[in-house]
């Protein structure tokens, strides 16, 4: 034991730990037999150190080399620079190594072997070997003799070695340290290690030493930085050195550069998860992603779509143009599919000409056809296969979580079945697994196709549904409701075509038309001498965001020659929540003009008092689902009561919509509701019928 702590005079304890941590083989031979061997060496040879002790050293060599050395180790001593030798592992494997022999004064020989294959040592088994050996450290008293040799180990080990004092200042580094990190000893001696000074790594490094101090050692892998900033992966072991009194005197850090292995691992991981032909995720990774998407969706109440795509006509390409061309086509098809999906979606190749798309944020099943249509169009384009043109198409099956299935396996089965249905439907099309979804999507498509012509064919009109003031028993106004009498589809409900108009942008034009038509109608009723009633017009999200909307309203009022208070706009909470600041500003302008505003479908959305307070609405329309449940569901009763008292406290008028029976009217009267609207009074009526209605309001 020495007080001086230069790299050449490590104390025995430090030396002992060092020798065990080094991955190279270190062994002491006496009379040609193994007298001591370190854990790294035992690991390299695939045997326990105890079993190796006492063995003739030549038996550790490949038989070819062993034969040459049958007379002993002497010939090798002449090669102090190291001899390339094959070592023989217990499992029969061979390790190519550079072996150096250092004769010592007491007649023993120190052997140092560095593995050239890079296979040994492997971190985990080395650690187990070290652990086992350290338990026996006391038995290995012979080691003390090696302290004078530790300097040589320190100099020649392929691992970087750092010795630090208790303040974490470096007292020694070996040449391998400089080789790996790029930091020369002169720049780090007496200082804290660079990784401790780097803000990105300091905390983790601090914790590493902390852990070593409390448990005696720390081992692990991490990414670090070389002096030039290049990142590298290292396997790191930190041990503490204690004096006889058990006081911490030093830390010893041994590390090796494992970047190459990490890169290999990454490649192996890629091979295990990605299809080699297309580079797309393979079946294993696909199932992984699908499972993940489903469990995320479970937590967040989301929808997941899965598409199964099979290429039509691929077999023909393969048979006529050959497999190489088939491969080219699959690669190109993979690229096209990837271009069709949204970020966050996963395109995978299951095998053959089968692909899948996982859509974790589908939102609504109605969104899947947009992607499917894009894919069908992309696949329809000709494929240029090294100058030869080929054509395929796609048959797509779609399934949706949670509607059709609740787990990944069932989803895959469903999507596959739906894909077969697409094949039966003549290929080059998509099919949902669920019949209802198919029907809904088909209807949507038909509506979309004829909707574009509706406007030009004059198929749109407005119906008007009256509202009654319960206290005064007078009609306060009518709500304008769009009607579409489609030539090929008959009367189509606005609930069906308005979402499609919003999607296609047609709502702007139609909304503008409805506004003007409603204003014109007011003018006509006034001219006919009917009582002054207000016309309510439903607005869509798009309209509220449309630039110049307020000007448009002014123009419509002007053209019809009516006052602003002759109209009312109905908006929903959802519409105003999306872009609240902008919405409040526009609504305020409309309100300042004198136009009334009503909050439609109240109770189905956010329905919060604070929302209501912010928006300058004059009345609240309780959604008809609550009205229809009066007498069926006692909760509805309570909700209505709450909305009415809450609304009144904010001085808003309360309108109940969808009122169908006299009983409902009576109850609403008792609860203090201001107005009602619904079949009990009148259904939406053509303009001519409104005149008749207004002249003779039914008593209810
Ligand atoms: P909404 O604004 O909630 O309109 C009330 C709906 O309830 C109307 O359906 C109406 O016919 C129906 N209804 C009225 N009384 C009763 C009743 O007693 N019982 C039942 N069960 N239903 C009743 P409609 O006309 O099919 O309109 C559906 C939705 O379409 C409307 O819901 C509205 O959101 C939208 N909409 C209609 N016209 C327009 C428009 O011009 N522009 C915009 N942006 N949306 C419109
Ligand atoms: Ca409405
Ligand atoms: Ca409504």
């Amino acid at each position: 034991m020495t007080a001086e702590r230069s790299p050449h005079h490590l104390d025995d304890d430090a030396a002992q730990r060092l020798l065990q941590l080094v991955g190279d083989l270190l062994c002491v031979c006496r009379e040609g037999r193994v007298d001591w061997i370190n854990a790294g060496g035992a690991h390299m040879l695939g045997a326990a150190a105890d079993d190796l002790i006492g063995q003739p050293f030549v038996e550790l060599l490949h038989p070819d080399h062993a034969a040459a050395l049958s007379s002993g180790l002497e010939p090798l001593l002449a090669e102090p620079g190291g001899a390339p030798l094959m070592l023989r592992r217990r499992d029969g494997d061979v390790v190519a190594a550079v072996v150096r022999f250092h004769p010592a004064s007491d007649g023993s020989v120190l052997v140092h072997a560095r593995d050239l294959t890079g296979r040994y040592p492997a971190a985990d088994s080395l650690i187990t070997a070290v652990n086992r050996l350290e338990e026996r450290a006391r038995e290995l008293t012979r080691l003390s003799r090696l302290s004078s040799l530790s300097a040589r180990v320190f100099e020649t080990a392929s691992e970087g070695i750092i010795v630090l004092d208790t303040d974490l200042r470096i007292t020694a580094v070996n040449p391998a340290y400089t080789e790996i990190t790029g930091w020369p000893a002169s720049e780090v001696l007496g200082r804290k290690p660079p990784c401790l000074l780097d803000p990105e790594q300091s905390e983790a490094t601090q914790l590493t030493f902390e852990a070593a101090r409390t448990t005696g050692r720390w081992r692990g892998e991490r990414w670090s930085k070389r002096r030039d900033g290049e990142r590298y992966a290292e396997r790191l072991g930190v041990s503490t050195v204690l004096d006889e009194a058990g006081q911490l005197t030093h830390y010893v850090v041994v590390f090796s550069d494992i970047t190459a292995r990490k890169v290999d691992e990454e490649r192996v991981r890629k091979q295990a998860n990605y299809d080699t032909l297309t580079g797309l995720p393979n079946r294993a990774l696909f199932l992984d992603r699908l499972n993940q998407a489903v469990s995320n969706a479970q937590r967040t109440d989301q929808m997941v779509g899965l598409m199964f795509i099979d290429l039509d006509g691929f077999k023909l390409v393969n048979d006529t143009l050959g497999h190489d061309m088939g491969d080219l086509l699959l690669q190109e098809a993979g690229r096209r599919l990837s271009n069709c999906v949204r970020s966050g979606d996963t395109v995978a190749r299951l095998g053959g000409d089968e692909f899948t798309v996982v859509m974790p944020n589908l939102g609504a099943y109605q969104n899947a056809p947009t992607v499917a249509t894009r894919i069908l169009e992309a696949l329809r384009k000709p494929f240029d296969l090294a100058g030869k043109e080929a054509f395929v198409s796609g048959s797509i099956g779609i399934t949706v979580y949670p509607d059709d299935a609740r787990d990944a396996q069932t989803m895959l089965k469903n999507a596959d079945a739906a894909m077969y249905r697409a094949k039966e439907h003549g290929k080059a099309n998509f099919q949902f697994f669920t019949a209802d979804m198919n029907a809904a999507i088909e209807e949507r498509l038909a509506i979309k196709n004829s909707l574009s012509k509706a406007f030009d064919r004059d198929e749109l009109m407005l119906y008007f549904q009256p509202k009654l003031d319960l206290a005064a028993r007078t009609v306060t106004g009518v709500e304008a409701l769009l009607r579409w009498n489609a030539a090929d589809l008959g009367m189509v409900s606005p609930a069906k075509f308005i979402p499609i108009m919003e999607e296609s942008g047609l709502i702007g034009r139609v909304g503008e038309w409805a506004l003007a038509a409603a204003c014109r109608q007011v003018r006509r009723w006034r001219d006919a001498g009917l009582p002054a009633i207000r016309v309510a017009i439903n607005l869509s999200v798009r309209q509220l965001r449309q630039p110049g909307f307020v000007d448009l309203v002014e123009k419509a009022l002007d053209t019809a020659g009516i006052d602003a208070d002759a109209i009312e706009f109905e908006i929903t909470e959802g519409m105003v929540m999306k872009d609240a600041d902008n919405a409040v500003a526009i609504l305020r302008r409309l309100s300042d003009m004198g136009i009334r505003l009503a909050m439609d479908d109240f109770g189905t959305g956010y329905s919060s008092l604070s929302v209501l307070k912010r928006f300058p609405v004059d009345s609240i329309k309780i959604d008809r689902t609550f009205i229809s449940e009066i007498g069926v569901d006692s909760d509805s009763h309570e909700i209505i009561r709450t909305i009415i008292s809450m609304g009144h406290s904010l001085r808003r008028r309360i309108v109940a919509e969808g009122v169908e029976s006299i009983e409902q009217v009576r109850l609403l009267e008792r609860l203090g509701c201001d107005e009602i609207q619904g079949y009990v009074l009148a259904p939406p009526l053509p303009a001519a019928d409104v005149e008749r209605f207004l002249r003779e309001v039914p008593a209810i």
Side-chain angles (χ1 to χ4, degrees):
M1 178 81 25
T2 159
E4 189 192 355
R5 305 212 183 270
S6 85
H8 292 267
H9 291 94
L10 288 174
D11 59 46
D12 293 346
D13 193 23
Q16 185 174 317
R17 283 168 188 277
L18 267 176
L19 295 174
Q20 296 298 2
L21 283 167
V22 168
D24 290 358
L25 176 148
L26 296 167
C27 129
V28 179
C29 290
R30 200 175 282 281
E31 286 154 9
R33 288 175 185 274
V34 176
D35 198 29
W36 176 86
I37 186 162
N38 71 340
H43 180 75
M44 198 183 291
L45 296 167
D50 281 357
D51 296 341
L52 294 167
I53 288 171
Q55 284 222 1
F57 182 81
V58 291
E59 286 187 8
L60 306 182
L61 300 177
H62 189 273
D64 292 352
H65 296 294
L69 289 175
S70 53
S71 52
L73 293 175
E74 282 70 25
L76 290 171
L77 297 180
E79 289 191 65
L85 285 177
M86 306 289 256
L87 304 179
R88 181 167 53 173
R89 278 172 57 85
R90 271 289 154 86
D91 59 14
D93 212 352
V94 170
V95 186
V98 172
V99 188
R100 287 190 182 85
F101 297 87
H102 305 277
S105 52
D106 66 353
S108 62
V109 178
L110 173 68
V111 186
H112 168 230
R114 184 180 296 177
D115 164 32
L116 293 176
T117 62
R119 274 178 297 169
Y120 314 101
D124 291 346
S125 38
L126 175 59
I127 287 167
T128 355
V130 170
N131 288 346
R132 203 175 53 232
L133 270 167
E134 279 191 346
E135 279 167 27
R136 307 235 181 133
R138 253 172 271 283
E139 291 171 33
L140 299 168
T141 45
R142 276 169 292 198
L143 263 176
S144 56
R145 196 158 33 84
L146 290 167
S147 64
S148 62
L149 296 172
S150 59
R152 246 185 259 168
V153 173
F154 191 79
E155 293 299 321
T156 55
S158 55
E159 282 91 350
I161 300 172
I162 316 169
V163 182
L164 304 102
D165 63 18
T166 49
D167 289 336
L168 300 179
R169 286 184 198 285
I170 296 178
T171 62
V173 293
N174 71 342
Y177 169 86
T178 303
E179 219 171 278
I180 296 172
T181 66
W183 288 99
S186 58
E187 286 188 32
V188 292
L189 285 177
R191 306 226 172 101
K192 302 218 167 181
C195 57
L196 203 55
L197 301 173
D198 176 6
E200 258 180 56
Q201 296 185 71
S202 73
E203 201 183 325
T205 308
Q206 196 79 47
L207 288 174
T208 303
F209 283 108
E210 203 76 25
R213 206 189 48 221
T214 47
T215 64
R217 83 164 79 86
W218 183 92
R219 284 193 179 83
E221 294 181 358
R222 64 174 202 181
W223 284 93
S224 199
K225 264 188 256 169
R226 298 190 217 274
R227 188 187 185 200
D228 62 8
E230 187 196 6
R231 294 174 69 75
Y232 74 100
E234 62 185 4
R235 185 172 57 237
L236 193 75
V238 183
S239 311
T240 51
V241 179
L242 308 177
D243 62 15
E244 282 129 351
Q247 286 295 312
L248 176 72
T249 64
H250 287 89
Y251 293 97
V252 178
V253 179
V254 180
F255 65 99
S256 50
D257 185 343
I258 55 164
T259 313
R261 202 194 75 206
K262 283 275 175 202
V263 170
D264 271 1
E265 277 174 9
E266 178 64 16
R267 207 183 56 229
V268 169
R269 198 185 63 76
K270 265 206 128 95
Q271 277 167 358
N273 287 317
Y274 292 84
D275 169 42
T276 40
L277 181 63
T278 60
L280 293 172
N282 64 11
R283 190 183 193 95
L285 184 56
F286 151 72
L287 281 173
D288 215 51
R289 295 258 170 97
L290 183 59
N291 272 311
Q292 204 183 326
V294 167
S295 59
N296 280 348
Q298 250 157 11
R299 255 186 301 110
T300 54
D301 240 351
Q302 296 268 327
M303 268 191 170
V304 180
L306 171 64
M307 248 186 257
F308 195 110
I309 306 153
D310 187 282
L311 301 184
D312 312 315
F314 176 72
K315 193 175 171 314
L316 189 70
V317 174
N318 232 0
D319 291 349
T320 54
L321 300 177
H323 287 277
D324 289 348
M325 295 298 138
D327 284 355
L328 285 181
L329 190 143
L330 291 174
Q331 284 171 339
E332 174 61 17
R335 275 192 293 272
R336 290 187 189 178
L337 291 180
S338 302
N339 285 335
C340 290
V341 302
R342 304 169 304 177
S343 69
D345 294 351
T346 298
V347 178
R349 178 171 172 238
L350 290 202
D353 58 350
E354 293 175 345
F355 296 86
T356 51
V357 179
V358 184
M359 299 171 284
N361 308 306
L362 189 60
Y365 76 88
Q366 288 90 340
N367 294 333
T370 320
V371 182
T373 309
R374 252 201 319 263
I375 290 177
L376 291 176
E377 271 158 23
L379 291 177
R380 226 192 315 264
K381 297 203 179 90
F383 284 77
D384 175 9
L385 308 176
K388 288 204 177 72
E389 210 170 51
F391 291 89
V392 294
S393 57
S395 290
I396 304 179
I398 307 171
T399 190
V400 176
Y401 166 94
D403 300 56
D404 312 341
R406 302 194 151 260
D407 66 276
Q409 285 299 340
T410 317
M411 283 182 84
L412 186 55
K413 220 175 65 203
N414 289 353
D416 188 38
M419 182 278 291
Y420 272 102
R421 195 123 34 81
K423 291 255 183 214
E424 283 163 12
H425 269 72
K427 302 177 178 171
N429 75 105
F430 64 84
Q431 292 289 323
F432 275 95
F433 176 70
T434 310
D436 288 355
M437 289 188 192
N438 276 328
I441 294 295
E442 254 165 53
E443 187 183 351
R444 220 176 142 84
L445 217 64
I447 290 175
K448 202 169 179 166
N449 285 337
S450 39
L451 199 54
S452 52
K453 296 168 215 142
F455 208 72
D456 304 326
R457 289 192 197 152
D458 230 4
E459 291 172 348
L460 294 174
M461 62 185 112
L462 288 179
Y463 272 33
F464 300 89
Q465 186 176 31
K467 280 182 288 184
L468 186 80
D469 182 311
L470 282 176
R473 283 294 197 268
T474 52
V475 175
T476 55
V478 293
E479 176 182 3
L481 293 159
L482 263 175
R483 290 291 175 268
W484 176 26
N485 194 358
D488 38 2
L489 299 164
M491 259 310 193
V492 185
S493 160
K496 272 186 185 144
F497 67 82
I498 284 171
I500 299 173
M501 283 208 282
E502 278 177 345
E503 203 180 271
S504 61
L506 203 61
I507 193 74
R509 230 168 110 206
V510 173
E512 207 174 310
W513 171 84
L515 172 65
C519 290
R520 274 199 306 273
Q521 192 56 57
V522 176
R523 176 80 266 154
R524 255 179 247 134
W525 284 328
R526 297 274 157 100
D527 290 348
L530 289 171
I533 53 159
R534 190 173 287 125
V535 178
I537 299 148
N538 290 284
L539 288 188
S540 97
V541 209
R542 289 260 194 152
Q543 282 174 288
L544 210 55
R545 295 215 192 115
Q546 192 180 336
F549 177 66
V550 178
D551 299 338
L552 204 82
V553 175
E554 270 174 336
K555 211 182 96 202
L557 292 171
D558 253 21
T559 311
I562 56 170
D563 291 340
D565 76 348
I567 64 167
E568 177 170 8
F569 285 131
E570 294 193 6
I571 52 168
T572 60
E573 293 165 282
M575 278 168 60
V576 291
M577 289 303 288
K578 276 181 195 136
D579 187 8
D581 291 339
N582 179 47
V584 171
I586 293 190
L587 294 179
R588 212 164 278 292
R589 282 177 67 192
L590 295 170
S591 173
D592 288 348
M593 280 167 65
I595 296 173
R596 299 289 178 110
L597 298 172
M599 188 62 90
D600 205 355
D601 303 344
F602 194 79
T604 57
Y606 305 84
S607 310
S608 77
L609 199 61
S610 61
V611 172
L612 266 185
K613 262 189 0 235
R614 264 186 86 190
F615 293 100
V617 296
D618 304 280
S619 56
I620 295 167
K621 298 184 81 175
I622 305 176
D623 192 72
R624 62 178 177 277
T625 51
F626 299 111
I627 310 301
S628 69
E629 279 167 8
I630 287 178
V632 183
D633 179 5
S634 63
D635 280 352
S636 286
H637 193 111
E638 262 327 293
I639 290 167
I640 294 168
R641 187 200 298 280
T642 311
I643 295 175
I644 291 175
S645 74
M646 183 172 102
H648 280 164
S649 71
L650 291 170
R651 287 189 295 280
R652 311 285 198 254
R653 279 178 74 77
I654 309 293
V655 183
E657 62 177 19
V659 184
E660 296 181 351
S661 71
I662 290 293
E663 290 73 34
Q664 289 168 345
V665 178
R666 297 289 169 261
L667 190 104
L668 289 162
E669 274 181 310
R670 273 208 302 282
L671 292 174
C673 184
D674 301 301
E675 292 179 37
I676 58 151
Q677 185 184 26
Y679 296 163
V680 74
L681 182 67
L685 304 166
D689 294 357
V690 174
E691 279 193 51
R692 214 168 308 138
F693 176 85
L694 287 178
R695 294 211 160 94
E696 213 172 313
V697 179
I700 52 170

